[in-house]
Amino acid sequence: MCGIIGIVGRAPVQARLIDSLKRLEYRGYDSAGVAGLVGGRIERRRAAGKIRALEDVLAASPLEATVGVGHTRWATHGAPSERNAHPHRAGRVTLVHNGIIENFAELKAALAAEGRVFESDTDTEVIAHLFDSELATGLAPLAAFKATLDRLTGAYALAALIEGEDGLILGARRGSPLVVGYGDGEMFLGSDALAVGPFTNRICYLEEGDYVAIRAGEAQIFDAGQRLANRPVRLVSAAAALVEKGEYRHFMEKEIHEQPDACQHTLSAYIDPVSGLATAPNGLDLAAFDRIQIVACGTASYAGAIARYQFERLAGLPCDVETASEFRYREPALSSKTLAIAVSQSGETADTLAALRWCKAADLTTAALVNVHESTMAREADVLLPTHAGPEIGVASTKAFTSQLAALTALAVAAAAARGRIDAAEAARLSGLLREVPRLIAQSTRVEAEMRALAPELAKARDVLYLGRGEMFPLALEGALKLKEISYIHAEGYAAGELKHGPIALIDAATPVIVIAPSGPLFEKTMSNMSEVAARGGPIILITDAAGAALAPAGAKVIIGPTCDPLLAPLVYAPPIQLLAYYVAVQKGADVDQPRNLAKSVTVE
Ligand code: AGP
């Protein structure tokens, strides 16, 4: 996923393009560039690496434009380099792109046969040449743009400048979001609300297939059928508009500490304010289904995997959870009374979106449990199940994860009540437990100093294992994912009981084993597995509660979290594993918020 900004301004735009790109850097950060119309000509500046490298280029050679576009890239076609950085240009056209053009090889071959020469390895440059060749036939800019779009297969959000067309930026959306921002005599295009947030809080989301011409003070939006379209302009909240690190060193650290609020806000959408009972929002009738199918990727899939235990145990509702990239390519046999839930922070992850569309095409009721409420998934699903975590900027998902867990746990309680599996008193008790989540999460982050103290030793490890049983097993998977994605230490999560079936061969004195096991019905079994590790000289870090700590094996380092009902344990024990990964990454001097090779959300297959 890449970040896009376009500004038709009344004053020079360089500083604002850079400000916006910095806010978008979480979407991709391997190269960046800007271009602007200067005296009827388009000038461009690009740099490999992060935005600060582009700032150095601009310091040496400023861009004196009042109309311009900017881009921060996550490489798909072509290595991260200045040559492949956006904007790309061809003839009169200079443009930036988010997405993937699937037929680019075929288009490139045809354009090359016409004598066009390419300077990059990207699919985006093909769009620029195509657009320029349409303009060269004499078509007006909008007609040439539409003719170009019609020849593209794949996903795109685009912002394009045309030499000789001062004061105009063209934009288009298919598969990748694009928003139009309305300023005071100025107009903006952005890949999300954050892009235009510092400049305006009046935005409109383009629909699939829309294209737009923005000029000073106006936007003309057309739908895929070339009809003028009237898209609603919304006011976005200040929180969405401006996201700063504040007193924290990294967004991830800030977002870990925002979890009590994120969960509280999320739960307010799932707990009826009058009855105080867990309830499904937006009219979703949980009694109408005989099965749940959750599709998601990465951290969101682990939230789903935890929810599976809760839907089945509490509500007796069979629940399958599948990685969306696998689900979409097989032919799952699902009953017509299956509720399909896509879980996603961004609501744009390509594989999850494709899985959601598959479910829709199979006539299932679909729900999007997403943090970005204007995202494609939110708009395409039958029911929106919101999380209210606020913008999550750190690439490693933290508050989005616990917000997903909070929402899913509440849904499981609501499903149990709706299906008559629990009586009113039990529904009230479980709903009461949910209200304790923010306080317990705040309490669980108090292990921060202990996690920081563990980091120097753990940072030396080459491999780390995470173990858990029951709901703590997917949490172990999440712990391992957090550690590997931000500290680059190889880590794996295992079901504690599975250890003896192979992974135990990995245990030695140099392989720390992190066991997530608050006391509860499964604790004794996990104790046995810890003993197996201890007997083989494996260093153990046990994350547990006070009752569990009393039974910890000799020699284990013990981190004591809050005592809570097992229903809440996955939520309450998530912050400690996030903090551990965070401090190990800090210890290693890694780029915590923007780990190598990653992007915040993956809008390509
Ligand atoms: C989380 O730390 C990861 N960076 C990643 O696994 C993420 O959860 C996954 O890509 C799904 O993203 P989504 O929630 O936006 O769909």
Side-chain angles (χ1 to χ4, degrees):
M1 168 166 102
C2 307
I4 289 178
I5 175 70
I7 305 177
V8 176
R10 295 192 299 179
V13 291
Q14 175 180 308
R16 288 185 287 170
L17 290 175
I18 291 296
D19 180 16
S20 179
L21 289 181
K22 282 183 177 165
R23 291 167 196 279
L24 290 175
E25 210 172 11
Y26 76 100
R27 296 172 68 100
Y29 36 82
D30 60 46
S31 58
V34 293
L37 280 152
V38 182
R41 292 191 55 76
I42 297 174
E43 288 188 17
R44 168 175 76 160
R45 313 278 185 270
R46 300 180 297 170
K50 301 209 168 172
I51 309 294
R52 51 181 180 268
L54 178 63
E55 284 185 288
D56 291 343
V57 171
L58 285 163
S61 174
L63 187 73
E64 313 283 355
T66 55
V67 175
V69 296
H71 187 269
T72 179
R73 177 172 188 248
W74 184 69
T76 55
H77 290 90
S81 62
E82 185 183 334
R83 197 171 68 86
N84 287 327
H86 299 218
H88 287 285
R89 69 177 169 205
R92 293 173 63 200
V93 173
T94 297
L95 55 79
V96 294
H97 167 221
N98 173 29
I100 283 199
I101 302 306
E102 289 162 14
N103 60 339
F104 93 101
E106 175 193 317
L107 292 169
K108 190 170 183 175
L111 288 159
E114 289 168 17
R116 287 187 171 261
V117 177
F118 293 84
E119 58 176 37
S120 78
D121 308 315
T122 66
D123 50 345
T124 304
E125 192 187 0
V126 172
I127 312 175
H129 276 282
L130 205 55
F131 187 10
D132 185 58
S133 72
E134 295 290 354
L135 283 170
T137 66
L139 284 175
L142 260 174
F145 192 48
K146 175 63 175 150
T148 304
L149 302 178
D150 286 346
R151 292 177 65 187
L152 302 177
T153 306
Y156 54 74
L158 293 168
L161 301 171
I162 306 166
E163 223 155 59
E165 297 289 338
D166 287 10
L168 172 70
I169 301 179
L170 297 178
R173 175 224 159 118
R174 192 202 293 159
S176 302
L178 194 67
V179 306
V180 178
Y182 293 77
D184 184 11
E186 301 189 308
M187 293 298 298
F188 307 91
L189 283 180
S191 43
D192 60 29
L194 288 176
V196 302
F199 321 128
T200 178
N201 64 349
R202 290 192 302 135
I203 64 170
C204 107
Y205 290 83
L206 295 186
E207 299 280 334
E208 278 296 273
D210 282 357
Y211 59 106
V212 61
I214 63 166
R215 298 182 177 84
E218 65 154 350
Q220 270 188 306
I221 302 173
F222 300 87
D223 66 15
Q226 303 186 50
R227 291 170 293 264
L228 262 178
N230 196 3
R231 306 290 178 221
V233 178
R234 302 154 199 259
L235 290 183
V236 293
S237 70
L242 286 173
V243 184
E244 309 286 352
K245 273 185 273 202
E247 72 204 76
Y248 295 98
R249 197 162 147 197
H250 297 101
F251 278 110
M252 182 181 177
E253 185 189 13
K254 175 174 177 252
E255 288 159 2
I256 288 172
H257 288 283
E258 284 174 345
Q259 291 180 106
D261 282 349
C263 288
Q264 176 139 33
H265 291 150
T266 298
L267 284 167
S268 66
Y270 294 81
I271 296 180
D272 185 284
V274 179
S275 66
L277 296 175
T279 180
N282 298 324
L284 180 65
D285 177 10
L286 288 165
F289 305 100
D290 64 9
R291 174 169 285 277
I292 290 184
Q293 174 68 58
I294 294 176
V295 286
C297 296
T299 289
S301 75
Y302 299 141
I306 290 168
R308 175 175 162 232
Y309 290 84
Q310 299 166 337
F311 278 118
E312 300 205 334
R313 190 181 57 238
L314 288 178
L317 192 51
C319 176
D320 286 317
V321 183
E322 190 161 353
T323 304
S325 55
E326 290 299 316
F327 178 89
R328 64 180 292 195
Y329 289 117
R330 63 185 192 91
E331 290 174 24
L334 299 171
S335 79
S336 60
K337 288 172 80 179
T338 300
L339 169 65
I341 307 179
V343 182
S344 172
Q345 189 285 128
S346 61
E348 302 293 347
T349 300
D351 286 317
T352 310
L353 179 59
L356 176 76
R357 286 177 174 159
W358 188 96
C359 293
K360 239 182 123 82
D363 268 343
L364 303 182
T365 302
T366 56
L369 199 150
V370 293
N371 197 38
V372 181
H373 306 156
E374 299 292 345
S375 60
T376 309
M377 285 181 219
R379 288 191 285 159
E380 292 195 9
D382 299 313
V383 183
L384 169 64
L385 299 174
T387 56
H388 292 281
E392 189 180 66
I393 304 299
V395 163
S397 187
T398 52
K399 62 176 181 170
F401 174 65
T402 43
S403 298
Q404 287 159 357
L405 281 179
L408 287 163
T409 307
L411 284 175
V413 174
R419 290 165 59 81
R421 294 279 297 206
I422 53 174
D423 61 19
E426 181 63 355
R429 187 186 75 82
L430 294 175
S431 303
L433 286 178
L434 290 172
R435 289 195 292 276
E436 291 177 21
V437 166
R439 174 183 62 79
L440 287 165
I441 289 192
Q443 212 177 316
S444 78
T445 58
R446 291 191 200 134
V447 299
E448 184 159 10
E450 288 154 275
M451 292 310 189
R452 194 189 301 122
L454 288 174
E457 198 51 37
L458 212 59
K460 293 183 202 147
R462 203 190 60 171
D463 307 289
V464 176
L465 302 186
Y466 284 73
L467 301 183
R469 264 181 194 269
E471 287 99 318
M472 295 300 130
F473 165 43
L475 194 61
L477 296 173
E478 168 63 2
L481 176 63
K482 281 292 86 92
L483 188 70
K484 65 186 136 191
E485 76 177 325
I486 59 170
S487 75
Y488 317 140
I489 294 175
H490 171 244
E492 297 299 337
Y494 289 105
E498 186 65 10
L499 190 71
K500 55 190 172 295
H501 298 288
I504 200 162
L506 297 171
I507 303 294
D508 61 18
T511 307
V513 179
I514 296 166
V515 185
I516 314 166
S519 63
L522 302 176
F523 185 78
E524 273 183 25
K525 302 277 177 211
T526 311
M527 266 292 286
S528 311
N529 304 129
M530 274 188 278
S531 305
E532 291 154 14
V533 172
R536 285 155 184 86
I540 297 173
I541 297 170
L542 170 62
I543 304 175
T544 185
D545 52 16
L551 303 170
K557 288 185 178 137
V558 184
I559 306 295
I560 304 178
T563 299
C564 65
D565 188 278
L567 178 70
L568 307 184
L571 276 155
V572 174
Y573 282 83
I577 60 160
Q578 298 163 349
L579 285 165
L580 187 60
Y582 173 73
Y583 280 109
V584 172
V586 170
Q587 175 73 29
K588 293 193 76 177
D591 194 341
V592 172
D593 285 332
Q594 296 171 347
R596 70 186 180 204
N597 303 339
L598 291 174
K600 181 65 184 160
S601 93
V602 184
T603 52
V604 295
E605 281 185 45

